[in-house]
Amino acid sequence: MPGSDLVALQVSFNTEGTEAAEKSGCVRVFSMNKLGIYIQVPFCQTKCTYCNFHTGVVSAGRFAPYVEAVCREIRGYKESYEAAGVTLPEGFEKAVVDTVYFGGGTPSLLEPGLLQRMMDAIRETFENELCEVTLEADPETVDAEKATAWVRAGINRVSFGVQSFSDKELVASGRMHRRADIYRAAGILRGTGIRNISFDLIAGLPHQTRESWKESLEGLRKLEPEHVSVYLLEVDEGSRLGLEILQNGKRYSAGAVPADDEMAEFYETACAFLGELGYHHYEISNWAMPGLESRHNLKYWRREAYLGFGAGAHSFSGTRRWANAHDAAEYVAAITAGRSPAEQLEAVTRESALEEELFLGLRQLDGIDLKRIEREYGVSLAERFEGLESAGLVKRDGEIMRLAPAKLSVSNAVFVELMR
Ligand code: SF4
């Protein structure tokens, strides 16, 4: 392991199942015997105007070769990492996969048989005790036959890209579904026995008003998803709408996007509304009925290990982060030629690990355990938080530091300040 900074972050997998993390000197031994697997499916039916993801609209004929490549990557992951110079921590191969997440893109576009093949590849390659297998789905892609096949493949959680219950907002954002599709799809999933459904909403879509936002929240009340994510519209050059807002264009309804303070108000309304309905707010953008927090996504925020397969998928072993080639065609070509698609290898230094702990810790409503971090990283955090605390942006409760409840909607500003 090159670089002295990495000594503090050596990771090995404790496969005994104990929760206790041993610490000897400055070497932290994680007890991450559970592993998450993320599969990226970068295909969509159309490109939503606000979308800044690396996804493409391609012919359905490209789905099967892509899935074939993903299966090959899963089955040959050790050789592939070795070829790319990724060294996995000792004991990693004994880790048990307990969560799988099919994200995108729109993985629900795939024939269920293709999803089944990827699940087979995971089951054949890794020790597994799958307790949470999530499929991202767009409401208009759901039918009873598919949903039944998803359950047969082992999918037990569906994350819906609902975004809004207002047809006007959905049309303006370039979404393919309408309000009626959300109700139809949720009914189908319940009928097939899927008991864990998540809905995504976006605060800040064009034409969104206080009233239409309330309507979307009421939609949640009626359909009772077990999990809800609320995101603020991201404005950057990566999406057509973002670019238009930055350049004052007119084609994608940039002029109808709510102002920043309205978006913050929508977010705060959602916090209050979801709290009243009994949801547990556990991460800035995420709420769940108690006990149904996303086990897979918690791994990201808790810096636990996960492997990503597919174009652009990210992985984290505890000591390294890396990502696959973004372009789907390039990814398939690499796998077909027997080359590793992994690139952007980054060794996690002590300093970057500490920054991740602070950034990811504050995203979680449980906050940061200051004493643990000070002990593990040999740092003092008091000075780092002084300015934020006196500005009322974070709040200390004994040894726990959290974002101040009223400042959740301006968390990005807090993170920028913290990383200075
Ligand atoms: S469906 Fe999702 S991933 Fe696809 S274009 Fe729309 S927002 Fe982006």
Side-chain angles (χ1 to χ4, degrees):
M1 184 174 300
S4 57
D5 268 358
L6 291 176
V7 173
L9 293 159
Q10 282 180 8
V11 177
S12 69
F13 272 66
N14 177 349
T15 53
E16 303 299 313
T18 171
E19 285 299 306
E22 295 173 34
K23 297 171 196 79
S24 78
C26 61
V27 179
R28 181 176 173 194
V29 181
F30 287 68
S31 60
M32 297 186 300
N33 59 332
K34 298 287 194 232
L35 179 65
I37 288 192
Y38 176 84
I39 309 272
Q40 170 70 353
V41 180
F43 308 124
C44 292
Q45 299 190 85
T46 180
K47 192 80 181 171
C48 305
T49 64
Y50 58 82
C51 180
N52 56 7
F53 297 153
H54 285 273
T55 59
V57 180
V58 302
S59 79
R62 284 181 52 190
F63 297 169
Y66 179 82
V67 167
E68 194 48 46
V70 172
C71 291
R72 276 180 72 173
E73 191 195 3
I74 294 170
R75 291 196 167 98
Y77 84 98
K78 281 187 211 150
E79 295 74 21
S80 173
Y81 291 165
E82 219 173 281
V86 175
T87 318
L88 293 173
E90 201 185 321
F92 198 99
E93 71 286 349
K94 290 188 193 149
V96 176
V97 174
D98 66 337
T99 64
V100 175
Y101 195 104
F102 290 95
T106 311
S108 59
L109 272 184
L110 299 182
E111 279 297 308
L114 296 178
L115 294 167
Q116 175 77 59
R117 275 161 67 180
M118 291 188 277
M119 288 299 296
D120 290 346
I122 292 168
R123 288 195 174 100
E124 286 162 21
T125 309
F126 295 94
E127 290 288 322
N128 63 83
E129 287 166 16
L130 298 177
C131 62
E132 185 187 279
V133 181
T134 303
L135 177 76
E136 283 186 354
D138 282 353
E140 78 282 4
T141 61
V142 178
D143 63 43
E145 203 181 321
K146 266 184 170 176
T148 307
W150 293 342
V151 172
R152 227 176 14 240
I155 288 158
N156 58 13
R157 182 172 185 272
V158 173
S159 175
F160 268 137
V162 166
Q163 321 310 2
S164 167
F165 281 76
S166 152
D167 283 353
K168 190 172 179 184
E169 292 168 29
L170 292 169
V171 171
S173 308
R175 297 290 310 186
M176 296 286 283
H177 71 275
R178 299 293 174 260
R179 176 192 176 90
D181 293 312
I182 306 167
Y183 283 88
R184 186 189 56 82
I188 290 173
L189 289 187
R190 294 296 189 204
T192 55
I194 290 193
R195 294 280 162 261
N196 196 349
I197 300 180
S198 181
F199 279 8
D200 288 357
L201 290 184
I202 297 180
L205 290 179
H207 301 294
Q208 201 165 65
T209 61
R210 204 172 274 164
E211 290 66 41
S212 71
W213 182 245
K214 188 85 204 311
E215 258 176 54
S216 288
L217 296 178
E218 283 300 332
L220 299 180
R221 189 205 298 276
K222 285 189 193 119
L223 290 175
E224 302 179 329
E226 284 71 21
H227 188 280
V228 175
S229 302
V230 176
Y231 301 106
L232 298 186
L233 180 77
E234 283 184 23
V235 177
D236 59 38
E237 292 178 352
S239 72
R240 289 174 294 165
L241 177 60
L243 196 60
E244 185 171 278
I245 293 170
L246 297 173
Q247 296 176 348
N248 285 323
K250 293 200 175 0
R251 188 155 170 217
Y252 301 111
S253 310
V257 168
D260 286 355
D261 55 347
E262 285 179 284
M263 282 188 223
E265 182 198 313
F266 296 161
Y267 173 84
E268 276 152 21
T269 313
C271 291
F273 185 87
L274 293 167
E276 277 166 26
L277 291 184
Y279 287 92
H280 169 217
H281 192 182
Y282 69 105
E283 196 270 348
I284 290 179
S285 305
N286 288 281
W287 288 256
M289 281 297 155
L292 291 170
E293 295 79 8
S294 165
R295 294 171 77 135
H296 184 85
N297 289 341
L298 276 170
K299 290 188 167 87
Y300 302 146
W301 303 315
R302 292 178 176 168
R303 302 188 69 251
E304 293 172 6
Y306 53 89
L307 297 181
F309 297 107
H314 287 245
S315 302
F316 175 56
S317 69
T319 54
R320 285 170 197 273
R321 292 188 181 276
W322 65 96
N324 282 349
H326 266 303
D327 183 79
E330 219 176 279
Y331 165 83
V332 173
I335 298 277
T336 309
R339 281 184 279 115
S340 170
E343 49 185 42
Q344 299 176 38
L345 257 67
E346 182 200 337
V348 179
T349 63
R350 181 206 297 261
E351 185 52 35
S352 57
L354 173 60
E355 292 201 343
E356 287 175 11
E357 292 265 16
L358 301 181
F359 170 76
L360 297 170
L362 278 186
R363 288 199 63 95
Q364 299 173 69
L365 280 277
D366 278 352
I368 295 172
D369 181 342
L370 297 172
K371 272 280 160 291
R372 174 184 72 78
I373 293 186
E374 292 189 337
R375 197 174 56 236
E376 288 181 6
Y377 290 84
V379 291
S380 165
L381 293 172
E383 216 176 286
R384 201 150 181 166
F385 281 105
E386 219 169 52
L388 291 170
E389 217 180 337
S390 52
L393 294 168
V394 294
K395 211 168 175 312
R396 186 174 179 148
D397 182 7
E399 295 307 335
I400 302 296
M401 187 68 81
R402 294 186 179 89
L403 281 175
K407 300 296 178 188
L408 293 175
S409 62
V410 294
S411 55
N412 280 345
V414 178
F415 299 144
V416 169
E417 201 51 45
L418 186 63
M419 299 307 163
R420 272 184 210 280

